[in-house]
Amino acid sequence: MLAGIEGGTAAAGRLVGGAPLRGTLDVADPSDWLALDAGVREVAWYRPQLLPAWEHFAPLPVDPTQLGESRLALALCHRDGRIRQEAVGQAARYPGLLPLVVIRCADWVGPVREPARQLLREALDVDSARDLAPLILRVGRRDRGAFGVEVLGQVLRRASHGQLVALLADPDRIVRRFAYRLAVEGRLLRPAELSRAAARDEDTVVQDLCATAALTALGDEEAYEDVLPPLLSARHPRTRSAGVTALRRAGWPEQAKLFLSDRSALVRACARYVVRQQGGDPVAWYRERCTALDDLELLPPGAVIGLAECGNRADAALLWPLLAHPTAGVRARAVAGLRTLDCADAKQLRPLLDDPGASVVRETAVALLPAAKELPADWLLERTGSERPRHVRVGAFRLLDARGGIVALRAAVGLLEDPDAKLRTWAGQSVQRWHPSADVRCCAAEVGELLDRSRHLFSHHVLRRRKWEAGVGS
């Protein structure tokens, strides 16, 4: 793979020297063709000294057939529109140069663009369209790039079901999106197939497209038995939410209660909507789960945060006891719920910064941020020591950083040698953006020492500026 324009300029140099096209770039990678096109122009306009033999291939020979594939590829990318125009006229002799013809279809010069489009229209068939689809769709984002996408659509609409299915599994998500749009438009996939595609594809655009199409195509209730299970069991929240919302239309609204405690806020909201439409009370359901002492160990974390999402501040009384729940997920959701209800009490939440669960400490740090300046600085600094678990150090530092002043600088400099690389990076960034507040004048000597310990993070000028702001002599 060519690394951007730099790789394209290097490839251009090799092609001028006579290197074969296939050994110079990955002809199956659309990025390589785009890099070559940009790289040739870069050389021609700005770096002619890199290619001393450049003048030997431009203009084209009197007999264009004397050009080999490599030289013709360079001519198709040349800065001179007349050369590109002549090269397009010769490109039909080399099917391997069709990717550059695709790029020229969006050329800014009309006499280059029009013959390139005519050549693409004549040369593109189903097989070549499958190979060129990634490049055509990328060029389609450019000005004047819509033509190639239109021709691609016309060709692929003539493809067989099997040929189109191959594109539906393409690793390039842009290609999959285009192929699924064609499949939906042509009604080539049954609702059950669309449902399974929405459940398994990793791209959110494909998920939404297929889930919506699957549910729209249904005309009778019986078909829901094949369509809804894949949606409801999907790993992705957007797909599950589509399935949950469809439960009402399918006549299965009672199943929505199973998703009131889903791990996704979006799915929980959709489930509450369906339950309310049937006259149910989601708040009562959540309260019952959070107070069922016999089954408290089986309490799903989603039920805890769900109560906060649709309850009121009085429900905080049900969440406080859950801070001691044996499951870390429930404790974390209880903290998040208290913050959602605006009932987070710093004094009661503070001990959870030492919780063994990383998610609990993370939620606790977020809940305590508004009260960061009220927390004991020494107590927080103690928790940034290397003997503490990483998640505890991160939570404590987040609060110290929010405090600002000398305490934030002291904590950040102390973490510059932390064993965790990410935490060292965050600490370094904190030092770089630190500016003295009014209360650091009394600690000028310590500020100077701390800045000196982190001088590798600053230029000489910036370091002097920081010290001057803090009232420290250089």
Side-chain angles (χ1 to χ4, degrees), residues 180-216:
Y180 272 113
R181 288 191 180 102
L182 291 179
V184 169
E185 176 188 321
R187 298 184 179 182
L188 301 179
L189 297 176
R190 294 179 290 106
E193 292 177 305
L194 290 168
S195 174
R196 289 193 293 270
R200 68 171 178 262
D201 202 284
E202 296 295 325
D203 182 54
T204 56
V205 174
V206 173
Q207 293 166 18
D208 290 347
L209 175 68
C210 292
T212 302
L215 295 172
T216 302

Side-chain angles (χ1 to χ4, degrees), residues 294-375:
D294 294 340
D295 297 327
L296 204 54
E297 292 190 1
L298 301 178
L299 175 65
V304 179
I305 189 63
L307 175 60
E309 289 168 343
C310 63
N312 54 52
R313 297 191 69 183
D315 291 313
L318 300 179
L319 300 182
W320 283 111
L322 299 179
L323 297 179
H325 195 276
T327 303
V330 172
R331 298 196 301 275
R333 294 297 198 171
V335 175
L338 291 167
R339 178 170 57 86
T340 300
L341 294 172
D342 195 23
C343 294
D345 180 82
K347 185 177 180 180
Q348 296 188 61
L349 291 181
R350 203 179 90 182
L352 291 175
L353 281 176
D354 292 320
D355 196 278
S359 60
V360 181
V361 175
R362 183 167 55 249
E363 291 290 351
T364 302
V366 174
L368 292 177
L369 278 176
K373 293 187 177 181
E374 302 170 13
L375 300 173

